[in-house]
Amino acid sequence: MYSYQRRKEPGPVFRIIIRGINDLKLRTKLILSFIVVVFIPVMIVGLFLTNELRHQALDNALEQTAVNVDRVKKRTSEVINAAYDISYRLSNDSRLARLAATEYETVYDVVKAYKDYPDIKEYISLYKEISNIRIYLDNPTLLDNWEFIQPSESIINSGWYQSAMSSSGLIGWNYIEDERDGKKYLSLIRKIDFRDEMSSAVLVINVNSRMLDAILNQETFETMIVDENNNIISSNRPGRVGKGLSEIDFDPSIVNKQSGTYNAVVNEQSSKIRIETLIPLSSLNGIRILSVFSVKTIVKDANQIIILATIVIFISLIVAIVLIYGFSNLLSKRMLRLSKHITKVATGNLDVTLAIDGKDEIGQLSRQFNAMVGSINVLLAEVQESNLQKTQLVTRQNEIKFKMLASQINPHFLFNALESIRMKAHIKGEKEIAKVVRLLGRMMRKNLEAGSKEVTLRSEIEVVRCYLDIQKFRYESRLGYELVIDPLTEQLHILPLIIQPLVENAVIHGLENKQEGGYVRIKAELMDKWMRIEVSDNGEGMDKQRLDFVLRSLEEQEDEANNRIGLRNVHMRLQLSYGREHGLVITSSPDSGTKISFTIPTGGGRHVQSADS
């Protein structure tokens, strides 16, 4: 049985409202509909857009602040890295160790020793990133000068000196006063151990404050560099350097925060603060970069736009109501005729034609109505053709799927065929041919199994060894090779099929045209945090013009007919996976062979984001 649910009739109040609306004149309905359909949504959208505009202004400011802080961090890192380089050299300088540990008998000997060691003055003149260098050492026979100083009791008892003496050579970054000129500098502080001389000293390198100020002066937002004790090292606002964050009405809840973006109150204004921590290599501590901007300042322009937009919208609404009231009588008759024809089309009559005079919107609507009716008739015919095309498309897709399935079977057939050839050759005593076929099958299987995931270096070297053994079968004694692989690198991960193209390039382009044959050497070694791989040959090599052409082809965006696609493919994969600094490095000269090398991080991870930043 079928059950029917009776449609609920509208209530008496709703019926009265509907009847009242139906009894209104057209112009009144237009005004009411305008208020309900346009005015209210515009107000809602206006409020939403107002809020979004403010948020967008803040988001843009935060994004710009993040970019600015990252730029300041990189440039500051470049400045202080100069001090790190100098400290590394001085800590390993045997002449400095002898000068510091020698007990001198006369003042003349001391002066002569200072004169024979001009390195510190040369560092100061060569590196604009530093201001001064001083070394505190306990040697009563030395004289205090601008570089070598006997530490006083106050210096020995200072926190930075005690920290350096107990830090085992790690670097400290402190904002301290240079007793020689009475000024404060961001200083690199580290203990230097002269092991052969059984002595030590404390090295202090002052970073050039003017360079730090120049970096910050290019920023639009208030930006500061502070040390771990919240002392302001540099600022693009006057009167802030040398003070603590607590002295400039800085929000106490943010003082000790590390990297991130925070809401705070600065100078009694709601503000956003971006903090980025910079801890240099081999350092005990670091510095922080702070960028501050007032929320009120950022949304000021947005607020002005909002006020102007509100005024314009309000005036437009008033004008629109007046126009609707004036033209409603002119429009009602023509709209009624249009409504009747639309009703006919709605009932399925597609043979109607509407004729309304005028070139205004209603006249345009009438012409569009007639065009629409004609288009519907055309579309009905096109639907059938579209259905036919859809059926053909499904058929083609099924054929493609079938071909893809067949393409998966072909490699297995090829492997089986190679294995049959190998067994035939083995049975007939052709061991060398059987070996080469086995190597070819293994190499092809490795190549087909290679995907986007990284493989171990040992697996990649197996592919290279198979290729070289096959080529050795071809060239016989004309080809020799050597694999120099550090055992520590064998389990490190590397992109698949990244070395074999380089070896193939060495064999084909370097040795094939050499009558007496040649030699290929593959070397893998660890270098600090990198693994370096080098493929070299003693082939015919390249002159400078040819080498420049090859290097340019590696950076081309479009493949050309004469381009070395194999090398370029390897070069681009290395750069996309590990960063631009990990591309191919090629050196060559005529009759001296070619050497191609590259490095990858030993962690095996991807490092692209940090390369062009």
Side-chain angles (χ1 to χ4, degrees):
M1 294 181 63
Y2 296 96
S3 61
Y4 297 92
Q5 184 176 3
R6 185 178 180 182
R7 187 177 62 181
K8 186 177 181 181
E9 296 292 335
V13 176
F14 185 77
R15 287 198 300 270
I16 293 174
I17 294 174
I18 295 297
R19 188 181 301 112
I21 293 176
N22 293 335
D23 292 340
L24 294 176
K25 293 183 178 181
L26 180 61
R27 61 174 177 267
T28 306
K29 292 179 181 178
L30 290 174
I31 294 174
L32 289 177
S33 63
F34 177 79
I35 294 174
V36 174
V37 177
V38 178
F39 182 77
I40 295 177
V42 165
M43 295 302 296
I44 295 174
V45 171
L47 293 175
F48 174 77
L49 292 179
T50 297
N51 187 55
E52 286 298 311
L53 186 60
R54 289 170 57 89
H55 282 295
Q56 185 175 4
L58 287 174
D59 291 342
N60 291 339
L62 288 173
E63 183 178 355
Q64 183 62 41
T65 302
V67 172
N68 293 348
V69 170
D70 186 62
R71 179 174 60 250
V72 170
K73 180 179 178 181
K74 291 180 180 178
R75 296 185 62 188
T76 304
S77 178
E78 292 174 357
V79 172
I80 64 179
N81 279 343
Y84 173 80
D85 292 340
I86 295 173
S87 72
Y88 179 79
R89 296 180 184 180
L90 291 176
S91 64
N92 294 279
D93 192 336
S94 59
R95 294 190 299 117
L96 175 61
R98 288 194 298 271
L99 186 151
T102 302
E103 294 185 0
Y104 299 92
E105 297 180 356
T106 65
V107 173
Y108 173 80
D109 294 336
V110 177
V111 173
K112 185 176 183 303
Y114 288 165
K115 184 177 180 181
D116 292 339
Y117 189 78
D119 295 37
I120 294 179
K121 291 184 176 63
E122 292 177 356
Y123 285 138
I124 295 174
S125 62
L126 288 175
Y127 289 86
K128 61 181 180 179
E129 292 88 353
I130 65 171
S131 295
N132 285 302
I133 301 174
R134 60 189 187 275
I135 300 175
Y136 295 96
L137 41 80
D138 186 11
N139 186 346
T141 64
L142 286 174
L143 298 176
D144 286 357
N145 67 351
W146 194 256
E147 291 89 17
F148 297 94
I149 303 173
Q150 299 285 339
S152 63
E153 185 176 353
S154 61
I155 291 176
I156 294 175
N157 294 328
S158 63
W160 59 266
Y161 189 92
Q162 293 292 330
S163 176
M165 293 299 292
S166 60
S167 63
S168 301
L170 293 177
I171 295 172
W173 297 91
N174 298 87
Y175 187 58
I176 63 174
E177 179 180 342
D178 190 335
E179 69 273 14
R180 300 171 299 179
D181 58 9
K183 297 180 181 179
K184 285 189 173 182
Y185 299 89
L186 173 64
S187 301
L188 178 150
I189 305 169
R190 71 179 297 176
K191 178 184 177 184
I192 301 177
D193 291 316
F194 306 125
R195 297 181 179 178
D196 294 339
E197 308 297 338
M198 301 299 291
S199 62
S200 62
V202 173
L203 170 66
V204 179
I205 301 177
N206 296 340
V207 177
N208 192 334
S209 300
R210 290 192 299 271
M211 290 197 68
L212 297 179
D213 294 339
I215 294 173
L216 299 189
N217 287 335
Q218 298 179 10
E219 304 302 322
T220 55
F221 297 134
E222 179 180 357
T223 308
M224 297 174 288
I225 300 176
V226 300
D227 67 357
E228 64 176 353
N229 296 319
N230 298 320
N231 296 312
I232 301 176
I233 300 169
S234 181
S235 174
N236 59 354
R237 296 293 183 268
R240 296 258 171 119
V241 176
K243 295 182 179 180
L245 292 179
S246 59
E247 300 178 50
I248 62 170
D249 195 20
F250 201 81
D251 194 328
S253 63
I254 310 296
V255 167
N256 296 315
K257 295 290 186 181
Q258 299 302 314
S259 297
T261 302
Y262 306 95
N263 297 317
V265 178
V266 179
N267 296 326
E268 299 181 353
Q269 290 187 353
S270 177
S271 304
K272 294 281 188 179
I273 300 178
R274 174 74 180 184
I275 302 177
E276 192 70 30
T277 303
L278 171 59
I279 301 179
L281 185 66
S282 302
S283 298
L284 287 168
N285 57 1
I287 57 177
R288 289 180 297 159
I289 301 168
L290 287 72
S291 184
V292 183
F293 65 86
S294 170
V295 175
K296 181 179 179 181
T297 303
I298 296 300
V299 301
K300 179 180 178 181
D301 294 338
N303 290 337
Q304 292 178 350
I305 296 174
I306 291 168
I307 294 173
L308 180 61
T310 302
I311 295 174
V312 172
I313 291 173
F314 183 74
I315 295 175
S316 300
L317 292 174
I318 294 176
V319 173
I321 292 174
V322 173
L323 292 176
I324 289 174
Y325 185 83
F327 286 100
S328 60
N329 290 329
L330 297 176
L331 302 177
S332 58
K333 292 183 180 180
R334 301 168 72 195
M335 292 179 63
L336 181 60
R337 291 177 60 190
L338 178 62
S339 176
K340 289 180 179 180
H341 282 75
I342 292 175
T343 302
K344 291 181 181 180
V345 172
T347 59
N349 185 1
L350 299 178
D351 296 328
V352 297
T353 301
L354 177 62
I356 297 179
D357 297 333
K359 296 182 179 180
D360 60 358
E361 287 79 359
I362 296 180
Q364 184 179 358
L365 283 174
S366 66
R367 290 187 291 273
Q368 291 177 348
F369 173 81
N370 292 331
M372 179 190 68
V373 174
S375 297
I376 291 175
N377 290 318
V378 173
L379 288 173
L380 289 175
E382 291 179 352
V383 166
Q384 295 179 351
E385 183 179 357
S386 177
N387 290 335
L388 179 61
Q389 293 178 350
K390 184 177 180 181
T391 303
Q392 293 176 350
L393 179 61
V394 172
T395 303
R396 294 289 179 87
Q397 289 176 339
N398 291 334
E399 291 177 359
I400 291 174
K401 291 180 180 179
F402 178 76
K403 290 180 179 180
M404 291 177 64
L405 181 60
S407 67
Q408 296 177 359
I409 301 174
N410 290 336
H412 296 286
F413 170 75
L414 182 58
F415 294 145
N416 293 335
L418 286 175
E419 180 64 18
S420 298
I421 294 172
R422 187 186 71 83
M423 290 301 298
K424 288 285 186 181
H426 183 75
I427 292 172
K428 293 183 178 182
E430 297 291 342
K431 295 184 178 180
E432 188 173 5
I433 295 177
K435 176 183 177 182
V436 172
V437 172
R438 178 175 57 83
L439 293 174
L440 179 60
R442 181 188 300 175
M443 183 176 173
M444 291 181 63
R445 185 177 297 276
K446 287 282 186 180
N447 290 344
L448 288 173
E449 292 175 352
S452 59
K453 295 183 178 180
E454 294 181 339
V455 298
T456 62
L457 179 63
R458 174 183 292 178
S459 177
E460 180 71 4
I461 293 299
E462 288 180 3
V463 177
V464 173
R465 193 190 302 274
C466 289
Y467 173 79
L468 287 171
D469 287 341
I470 293 171
Q471 291 291 57
K472 205 167 164 53
F473 174 78
R474 175 186 175 188
Y475 291 102
E476 297 181 345
S477 61
R478 289 181 57 211
L479 173 63
Y481 71 87
E482 179 184 9
L483 299 175
V484 184
I485 309 300
D486 187 341
L488 297 177
T489 65
E490 291 185 349
Q491 297 304 319
L492 298 180
H493 285 79
I494 187 173
L495 293 174
L497 300 180
I498 208 75
I499 301 178
Q500 189 266 339
L502 306 183
V503 177
E504 182 177 350
N505 182 80
V507 173
I508 295 176
H509 296 284
L511 305 177
E512 193 172 56
N513 296 327
K514 196 172 182 180
Q515 294 298 328
E516 65 275 15
Y519 191 79
V520 178
R521 185 170 184 262
I522 299 95
K523 181 179 180 182
E525 59 181 344
L526 284 178
M527 300 178 63
D528 195 11
K529 295 184 178 180
W530 316 102
M531 176 172 64
R532 182 176 183 273
I533 296 176
E534 176 185 288
V535 177
S536 59
D537 63 72
N538 64 344
E540 59 184 5
M542 296 180 284
D543 56 21
K544 185 177 185 304
Q545 182 178 2
R546 179 61 178 170
L547 178 60
D548 291 341
F549 171 77
V550 172
L551 293 176
R552 286 194 306 271
S553 69
L554 294 181
E555 303 298 334
E556 290 178 354
Q557 297 299 319
E558 299 292 337
D559 291 335
E560 298 179 357
N562 58 350
N563 197 356
R564 295 192 176 196
I565 299 177
L567 290 182
R568 179 179 177 274
N569 179 276
V570 173
H571 182 69
M572 296 301 293
R573 289 172 65 201
L574 287 170
Q575 289 189 332
L576 291 173
S577 297
Y578 305 112
R580 293 192 60 83
E581 68 274 15
H582 294 287
L584 295 180
V585 178
I586 304 176
T587 58
S588 182
S589 59
D591 300 323
S592 297
T594 302
K595 181 185 297 182
I596 305 178
S597 64
F598 63 89
T599 60
I600 63 171
T602 55
R606 303 298 170 98
H607 297 266
V608 173
Q609 296 177 353
S610 323
D612 291 333
S613 310

